[in-house]
Amino acid sequence: PESSSNGSKDQNGTATGAGGDSPDKVALITGITGQDGSYLAEFLLKKDYTVHGIIRRASTFNTTRIEHLYADPKAHKGGRMKLHYGDMTDSSSLVKIINMVKPTEIYNLAAQSHVKVSFDLSEYTAEVDAVGTLRILDAIRTCGMEKTVKFYQASTSELYGKVVETPQNEQTPFYPRSPYACAKMYGFWIVINYREAYNMYACNGILFNHESPRRGENFVTRKITRSVAKIYHKQMEYFELGNLDSKRDWGHASDYVEAMWMMLQRDSPSDYVIATGETHSVREFVEAAFKHIDREITWQGEGVNEVGVESGTGIVRVRINKKYFRPTEVDLLQGDASKAKRELNWTPKVSFVELVSDMMKADIELMRKNPIA
Ligand code: NDP
Ligand code: GDR
C-alpha cells in the first residue's frame, strides 16, 4: 500500500491519477480489499478509471484479493490504482482522502459484513456500517463535493429479514433481523435522506447474496466449497455447519459489481434490487458442491442432529453444530430485480450451478497447491 500522498494533481488541484488519465473517471472504493472491492476495482480499471482504494491498517497483509492488480506494474507505481490508509471509524482520514483524490464516483463497500459476528460485535458493526456511512456522506459535503460526486451504498437483502413477502422488491417492507441488518438499515435511510436533503446523486444497491472464489472463508458458500475440496483431496473427513434450511438467492459477485457501476451512470439516482430471482437452501448448496466432485450426500436425523452421509460409504461428511445458528435467522430470500432489468438493462449471467462449479474448481485447485490453506 502507498501512503495517502499518491494520486497526482493537475494545476487546478484535480486528481488525474499518476497515469495522467481522464479526470472524468476517478473512483474511490471503500472496502477495496474485500470480495466486491476486488472485482469492482478490476472492472473499473478495465473501463479506464483511475481507482483509489481505502485500506485499513492490519498486522498482516490484507491486500491478497487485489494483489494481481497491484502487482501489475501498469496498475501499481505510476499506474491507475492507488491505495490509501483510512478507516470508516476515522472521519478525518475520509475527509483527507476525498479532498485529495477528488473522486467522481464513490463506492461505499466497507463494512463489518458478517451477520453472525454482528451479534458479538454489535456496537462496532453500527460504528462502521451505520455511522461509517454517515461519516463518508458528511466527508463529501465537507469537501464541497455533494453536487459532483456520485455515491453508491452497499445495501443488502438482509434488510428484508423476516419474510413479509417473496420475491422481495424495492417496495417490500424491511424487517431487519441482526445488528448488521439494523446498521445497514440506518445506512440505507441516511443515503436517501442526503439525496433528498442535499440533492446528492446517491444510490442504494439492495444486493442479494453474491459469492465467488474470493468470498470470505467464513461465509457459508465458501466454507462449503473449501471443505468439500479438502474432502476431495482427502485432507479432511467432515465439516460442521449450522442452519441448513435457510434459503438464499445466490449470484456471482462479478455480475453484481457491474450493476453497482450501472446505477451511477444514469441521469438521476434511485435504489435497485440486484438478485437472480432463484432461491436455494444451504442444504442444496452442500448437495451441489458434492455433486461437483461426483459424490452424493444423504441426510439423516432431524434438525440440529442432522448429518450428511456420503452415499455408498456410510461416512459422515457434514455435522450440524448449534454454535453456527444465529439468535435470529433470515429464513428466505428471493429477489425480484425487474426494476434493474428495466432501467439498467442488468441481468445476471452466472447460474447457481455455474457459481458452485466456479467456486469448487477454484478451491480444488487451491487445496491441491496448498493443503494447509
Ligand atoms: P467483505 O467482508 O469481503 O469486505 C469488506 C471490506 O470492508 C474489506 O475490504 C474490509 O477490509 C473493509 N472494512 C471492514 N471494516 C472496515 C473499516 N472499519 N474501515 C475501512 N474498511 C473496512 O464484504 P463483501 O465484499 O462481500 O461485501 C461488500 C459490501 O457489500 C459490504 O458492505 C457488505 O456488507 C455488502 N453486501 C455484501 C453482499 C454479499 O453477498 N457479498 C450482499 C449485500 C451487501 P479488510 O479486508 O481489511 O477486512
Ligand atoms: P448471510 O451469509 O448471513 O446471508 O450474509 P452467510 O453465508 O454467512 O449465511 C447464509 C446462511 O447460511 C447459514 N449457515 C451458515 N452460515 C455461516 N456463515 N456459517 C455456517 O457454518 C453456516 N451454516 C449455516 C446461515 O445461518 C445463513 O442462513 C451475507 C453477507 O455477505 C452479508 O454481508 C450480506 O449483506 C448478505 O449476505 C446479503
Side-chain angles (χ1 to χ4, degrees):
E2 312 262 340
S3 77
S4 55
S5 61
N6 296 304
S8 62
K9 292 183 180 176
D10 65 17
Q11 284 170 334
N12 303 318
T14 308
T16 59
D21 309 279
S22 160
D24 296 334
K25 290 177 165 189
V26 181
L28 174 63
I29 305 175
T30 74
I32 195 169
T33 54
Q35 170 188 253
D36 291 6
S38 67
Y39 281 106
L40 182 64
E42 228 168 71
F43 176 82
L44 294 175
L45 285 168
K46 278 197 198 122
K47 287 210 167 290
D48 282 338
Y49 277 72
T50 298
V51 175
H52 294 267
I54 295 183
I55 67 160
R56 53 182 179 163
R57 196 267 158 186
S59 65
T60 51
F61 284 122
N62 56 359
T63 47
T64 324
R65 292 189 182 100
I66 47 173
E67 244 163 33
H68 60 295
L69 302 171
Y70 193 63
D72 176 353
K74 281 188 254 131
H76 181 23
K77 292 228 167 56
R80 286 181 291 108
M81 188 178 78
K82 297 288 164 192
L83 303 178
H84 311 272
Y85 282 117
D87 199 292
M88 297 308 289
T89 59
D90 181 346
S91 301
S92 63
S93 67
L94 301 176
V95 172
K96 265 189 277 183
I97 294 166
I98 292 173
N99 196 38
M100 182 178 57
V101 308
K102 304 264 189 296
T104 51
E105 294 173 13
I106 296 181
Y107 295 86
N108 185 34
L109 309 185
Q112 190 304 92
S113 72
H114 202 284
V115 174
K116 174 91 176 11
V117 172
S118 78
F119 288 94
D120 301 322
L121 292 178
S122 50
E123 184 181 332
Y124 177 73
T125 303
E127 270 298 335
V128 177
D129 301 11
V131 186
T133 306
L134 174 69
R135 286 191 188 100
I136 194 153
L137 289 167
D138 270 337
I140 294 169
R141 294 194 62 228
T142 302
C143 297
M145 296 178 65
E146 66 270 29
K147 295 282 184 292
T148 53
V149 168
K150 290 185 166 184
F151 183 83
Y152 173 85
Q153 168 65 8
S155 285
T156 164
S157 53
E158 284 295 294
L159 296 174
Y160 297 119
K162 198 166 180 175
V163 183
V164 178
E165 64 178 17
T166 52
Q168 291 112 357
N169 63 29
E170 293 81 2
Q171 269 73 52
T172 304
F174 296 148
Y175 192 139
R177 294 270 283 171
S178 63
Y180 166 79
C182 292
K184 284 283 187 178
M185 182 120 164
Y186 177 87
F188 178 88
W189 282 111
I190 199 68
V191 165
I192 293 181
N193 181 245
Y194 273 47
R195 179 163 83 208
E196 293 173 354
Y198 307 115
N199 207 16
M200 285 176 72
Y201 191 114
C203 302
N204 282 292
I206 308 172
L207 271 53
F208 282 61
N209 297 55
H210 45 279
E211 320 293 314
S212 73
R214 296 184 206 166
R215 183 57 141 154
E217 288 89 347
N218 58 358
F219 295 94
V220 78
T221 56
R222 188 75 201 289
K223 182 172 170 184
I224 295 167
T225 58
R226 278 171 58 88
S227 305
V228 175
K230 279 178 178 286
I231 288 171
Y232 176 79
H233 288 301
K234 300 191 169 55
Q235 295 160 359
M236 185 191 250
E237 194 169 314
Y238 73 91
F239 62 104
E240 294 186 331
L241 289 174
N243 183 11
L244 295 175
D245 294 320
S246 56
K247 293 180 136 188
R248 292 290 182 272
D249 179 329
W250 279 297
H252 198 292
S254 60
D255 282 347
Y256 285 43
V257 297
E258 199 167 344
M260 297 175 186
W261 173 79
M262 286 172 162
M263 284 179 218
L264 299 197
Q265 309 312 310
R266 292 175 55 79
D267 293 334
S268 54
S270 193
D271 307 315
Y272 295 91
V273 160
I274 300 298
T276 68
E278 255 187 54
T279 189
H280 295 274
S281 65
V282 172
R283 186 192 311 272
E284 284 166 0
F285 198 104
V286 172
E287 287 166 353
F290 276 100
K291 195 161 175 216
H292 181 91
I293 59 167
D294 268 335
R295 315 264 186 94
E296 243 183 78
I297 285 285
T298 55
W299 299 94
Q300 295 178 353
E302 289 284 325
V304 291
N305 298 319
E306 211 152 15
V307 289
V309 176
E310 192 180 323
S311 305
T313 69
I315 300 169
V316 171
R317 294 302 191 190
V318 186
R319 287 182 198 277
I320 305 307
N321 189 328
K322 263 189 170 164
K323 83 174 181 193
Y324 295 112
F325 282 67
R326 290 145 192 211
T328 41
E329 178 62 282
V330 172
D331 296 322
L332 168 59
L333 292 174
Q334 182 174 19
D336 167 7
S338 45
K339 181 180 172 190
K341 164 102 181 88
R342 202 169 54 246
E343 295 186 8
L344 307 176
N345 200 22
W346 180 88
T347 43
K349 299 184 196 89
V350 182
S351 71
F352 176 72
V353 172
E354 287 165 347
L355 169 69
V356 176
S357 164
D358 187 34
M359 294 178 72
M360 279 306 306
K361 277 187 199 147
D363 277 330
I364 286 173
E365 182 58 11
L366 177 70
M367 301 310 164
R368 188 187 64 75
K369 283 203 219 131
N370 184 8
I372 55 160

